[in-house]
Amino acid sequence: MSAPNSKTAERPGLEAQIQRNPHPDFRKVERERPPFESDISWKYTQIPKTDWKIGDGANDTEWKKHKKIQIDPYGDSRKPVDNYKTLISAVTPRPIGFVSTVNRKGERNLAPFSYFSVVNHDPPLFTIGFSGGLDNPKDSAKNVIETGELTINIISEWFIEAANFCSTNSPFGVDEWKLSGLTPAESTIVKPPHVAESAFSIEAKLVTHHEWKSKLDPNKSTGTLVIVEGVNFHVREDVINDDLNIIDIAKLKPVSRLGGITYGRSITGYESLRPDYEKDVVNVNKI
C-alpha cells in the first residue's frame, strides 16, 4: 500500500466540510443499539390503503399540518455542502454503484458511489457521478475516462462492511481490494475484475463523460458524470429465475444508501398493479 502523501489532503469532494458522522463517539452509540437481525427474511405486506380509489389522493392527512418552505440552492448564506447534505438525505433510498477499475499501469481500484443509476435497457446504460472535476478526479473517474472500462457490482448485506471500507480516502494507487478482503473475479470483456461476492455484476464500457462547473464559481469544476454501457452481466445462479430475467430480491438482499453515514435494508415490500387507462378510468366513468 502506498504511503499517504500531500495529495491525500487535496482529494476532490466535500468530505472535509461534510462531517458525515453526527455522533461524538460513534462506536459507543453503535454498541448501545440492538444487534443486526440476521434472521429477518423478505416479506410482502398489503399496500397502505387497499381500498384506494381514483382521485383519493394521499392515504394520510399528516401533510396538511405542515407548510413547505423554499430553499434557494444558490442563496447567499447557502453553501454547496448544504445542498449535498439535503439531496443525499432526501433522494432516498439510492442504489450503490460499487465500481471496479484499473489504471493504465494495471493497478486496481474499488470504490462505492451513490450517484448511480440505470437509465436505459437497450442498450443497457448506467450513469455514475463522481465529485471533483477532470483537473483533480476521483481515482475511479480517472481510470474510467483513461481506459474506458469498469465493472459495477451490486452491494448485498453479506459484504457491506468490506464495501463500506472501500470508501476510505486512500491515496491514488492504493489497492482497496486488499484493504477490504474482497475477491476479484476475472471479467470476460473488460480488464477490471468484478467482485466475486456480488450476486450481480456488470462489465461496462465508457460511452461519454461530462464535467460540471460550479454555478457560484464557473472556473471551478465540481463533478464528473460518466455514461457507461453494460456489455456483459454476471449473476449468481441461485438469485435469478429460470428465464434469466428476474432477480429475487429476497436472495439479493440489496443495500441502499441513505443520508449521512446511513445504509438501508430492503426487507419488506408491497405490490401495486399499474393502472390501465381504458379499463380503470374510461370504463369506470361510463358506469
Side-chain angles (χ1 to χ4, degrees):
M1 186 171 83
S2 303
N5 53 42
S6 59
K7 287 296 284 185
T8 304
E10 302 171 14
R11 306 290 286 173
L14 303 171
E15 286 302 322
Q17 305 172 50
I18 293 171
Q19 298 178 339
R20 291 182 191 273
N21 179 17
H23 312 292
D25 186 344
F26 172 73
R27 295 304 175 192
K28 180 179 183 295
V29 171
E30 186 178 44
R31 286 193 299 271
E32 294 172 348
R33 290 173 173 166
F36 182 84
E37 298 175 272
S38 58
D39 58 342
I40 289 181
S41 59
W42 170 269
K43 68 177 181 180
Y44 283 105
T45 68
Q46 294 180 347
I47 201 166
K49 185 175 174 59
T50 57
D51 59 348
W52 188 94
K53 303 183 301 299
I54 295 175
D56 273 358
N59 61 42
D60 187 278
T61 59
E62 177 68 22
W63 64 273
K64 293 183 178 181
K65 301 176 183 178
H66 308 278
K67 66 178 182 179
K68 279 190 172 180
I69 60 174
Q70 296 187 62
I71 298 175
D72 180 356
Y74 308 117
D76 292 339
S77 62
R78 194 164 179 86
K79 302 175 183 177
V81 68
D82 294 323
N83 290 333
Y84 178 85
K85 286 186 172 183
T86 300
L87 293 174
I88 66 168
S89 60
V91 185
T92 58
R94 301 187 307 281
I96 307 169
F98 199 25
V99 177
S100 165
T101 59
V102 296
N103 62 21
R104 287 175 174 173
K105 297 179 181 179
E107 296 171 325
R108 305 176 303 188
N109 184 268
L110 184 62
F113 296 92
S114 62
Y115 285 170
F116 160 72
S117 188
V118 56
V119 293
N120 199 59
H121 65 278
D122 183 19
L125 294 176
F126 307 84
T127 57
I128 306 170
F130 304 98
S131 61
L134 299 178
D135 56 336
N136 188 22
K138 290 274 191 178
D139 298 349
S140 298
K142 177 180 175 66
N143 293 346
V144 169
I145 292 171
E146 289 186 351
T147 68
E149 296 185 339
L150 67 155
T151 70
I152 303 169
N153 307 271
I154 299 302
I155 296 175
S156 295
E157 291 181 4
W158 55 84
F159 65 99
I160 178 58
E161 300 87 356
N164 177 68
F165 203 83
C166 290
S167 64
T168 182
N169 58 334
S170 57
F172 184 74
V174 168
D175 189 346
E176 289 83 2
W177 289 90
K178 293 180 179 179
L179 296 179
S180 68
L182 291 171
T183 309
E186 185 176 353
S187 297
T188 304
I189 298 175
V190 302
K191 290 182 180 178
H194 58 279
V195 177
E197 289 82 354
S198 176
F200 187 70
S201 300
I202 303 154
E203 295 186 44
K205 290 194 174 184
L206 178 67
V207 175
T208 188
H209 70 276
H210 181 82
E211 183 181 49
W212 302 107
K213 298 291 186 179
S214 168
K215 287 285 188 177
L216 301 177
D217 180 4
N219 295 316
K220 181 181 179 181
S221 299
T222 58
T224 304
L225 170 73
V226 300
I227 300 176
V228 303
E229 178 186 351
V231 295
N232 198 28
F233 302 149
H234 298 264
V235 59
R236 211 175 74 185
E237 60 184 2
D238 65 312
V239 305
I240 196 165
N241 64 354
D242 292 339
D243 292 331
L244 303 182
N245 57 17
I246 297 178
I247 291 177
D248 186 345
I249 191 172
K251 295 178 179 178
L252 181 63
K253 296 184 179 180
V255 175
S256 61
R257 194 72 174 86
L258 305 176
I261 59 174
T262 308
Y263 290 95
R265 304 177 69 185
S266 298
I267 58 175
T268 305
Y270 39 79
E271 296 179 316
S272 182
L273 296 174
R274 276 205 166 195
D276 178 274
Y277 188 80
E278 288 294 325
K279 174 185 174 183
D280 298 315
V281 178
V282 176
N283 289 342
V284 168
N285 289 337
K286 287 179 180 178
I287 298 175

